[in-house]
Amino acid sequence: MPPASRAFGPLGLFAAHPVRPLDIDGASFGLPLHVYACDMHILSGTVALEPLARLLEPEGLRPAALARPGGPPVGVAQVWLNDYGATSIGPYRELMISFSVAMGPAAGPHRDRNFLSPLGPFADPRCAVLVRWLYLDQPLAIDVGRRVWGFPKEPGRLVFAAGPGGRLRHETRDRDDRLVVRADFARAAGPAATLRTLAAMLPGLGPAITVRLLGQRTHAALAITPRALKQTRAPIRFQGWADCFPWRGALELGDVPGPLALRDLGFAPRVVQRMPAVRFVMLAPE
């Protein structure tokens, strides 16, 4: 077991879910997937609600909504920039595009009060994240994601680079070298950024969602596959504080299906969550 995993101790997350060989469709995989270190940035923002509802309708899903004062409600989308530095299948990088969906009639209502409000559905147990498009740079990670969980993962070339003043510069291109996403944005950290976020949480999210966002350790993700709509939950453990800060940057969306959908929906980033040292176990399907 890599040194990074030992911080959990002998009774920790990785020890409780050891990697074992599992045969799936004639191939053997070491499961569950252990992620020992991931630097994760999640860009959350708003999209047009009615077009998103039409996009999700064939899957029988309903978008989570943010009610806006004086305007029509909006949906919520995410762009994930994940740099997996150490996992049980080796390092890899990943871009994901997802939407917040309501898992029942009681989900919500969520209100758009400040820059943190798009995180409301993300932390609401009555909602889930529909992962719709993914690009990765390692064949094994793509194969495991497709064959074990049914995620529609595609090959790509992903670059993460630190810019001046702590900015992040990211670019993803597909197998044909077409631009998928290009992002360049400021990152905030330290006591001042933390205090600003804490001050915005209660008015922006309300007390129940604030408590859950601060303490949540399980995310729900859905994947559209050619065969079925699958749901999976992964135990998550975070090391340190998850920085949340307003989006300040430039986002370019390419002429390929996922980014085109975001453009058609009018995706407007509002907030960035950065978790610089995420560790988790992705359990094999039962």
Side-chain angles (χ1 to χ4, degrees):
M1 186 175 292
S5 69
R6 290 200 289 265
F8 286 94
L11 299 178
L13 182 66
F14 300 130
H17 301 282
V19 176
R20 296 187 175 94
L22 181 65
D23 291 332
I24 297 178
D25 295 335
S28 182
F29 299 98
L31 295 171
L33 173 66
H34 285 189
V35 173
Y36 306 119
C38 178
D39 189 359
M40 184 178 290
H41 296 76
I42 309 172
L43 285 52
S44 296
T46 56
V47 293
L49 186 63
E50 290 187 7
L52 178 58
R54 290 194 293 270
L55 179 67
L56 299 178
E57 187 175 10
E59 311 304 331
L61 296 173
R62 179 171 61 91
L66 284 181
R68 296 189 301 170
V74 292
V76 177
Q78 300 86 20
V79 174
W80 305 61
L81 309 176
N82 302 329
D83 189 354
Y84 293 91
T87 81
S88 55
I89 59 172
Y92 63 94
R93 294 171 175 179
E94 177 182 62
L95 167 80
M96 302 196 313
I97 296 174
S98 63
F99 303 103
S100 291
V101 297
M103 297 305 295
H110 300 278
R111 299 190 180 279
D112 191 0
R113 297 185 176 97
N114 62 27
F115 77 97
L116 288 177
S117 295
L119 301 183
F122 186 82
D124 189 335
R126 301 167 299 179
C127 299
V129 175
L130 173 71
V131 181
R132 187 60 181 85
W133 291 278
L134 305 93
Y135 291 86
L136 292 85
D137 64 355
Q138 293 299 322
L140 179 57
I142 294 171
D143 195 33
V144 170
R146 285 177 176 175
R147 298 178 71 168
V148 175
W149 291 287
F151 284 108
K153 297 189 174 186
E154 297 294 336
R157 180 169 57 85
L158 292 82
V159 176
F160 291 75
R167 299 179 70 86
L168 179 69
R169 291 173 173 171
H170 172 84
E171 183 175 278
T172 294
R173 290 186 171 272
D174 70 6
R175 73 175 83 196
D176 298 318
D177 202 37
R178 296 177 299 179
L179 178 68
V180 179
V181 167
R182 182 182 293 123
D184 183 342
F185 58 93
R187 294 183 288 187
T194 298
L195 290 173
R196 181 169 59 248
T197 298
L198 289 173
M201 276 187 170
L202 279 176
L205 300 171
I209 297 299
T210 295
V211 170
R212 184 165 182 84
L213 185 64
L214 290 173
Q216 183 179 10
R217 291 297 180 267
T218 301
H219 290 306
L222 299 177
I224 292 178
T225 76
R227 299 183 305 275
L229 188 66
K230 297 184 179 181
Q231 183 171 356
T232 180
R233 291 180 182 268
I236 306 287
R237 294 294 182 271
F238 298 106
Q239 177 186 8
W241 174 254
D243 291 313
C244 298
F245 43 89
W247 165 260
R248 295 189 178 94
L251 181 67
E252 184 178 352
L253 301 170
D255 296 323
V256 294
L260 277 174
L262 286 180
R263 279 162 48 185
D264 291 344
L265 293 169
F267 178 58
R270 297 270 298 278
V271 58
V272 181
Q273 290 172 281
R274 190 207 178 174
M275 291 163 277
V278 180
R279 301 172 180 175
F280 65 91
V281 167
M282 189 74 170
L283 299 175
E286 297 179 355

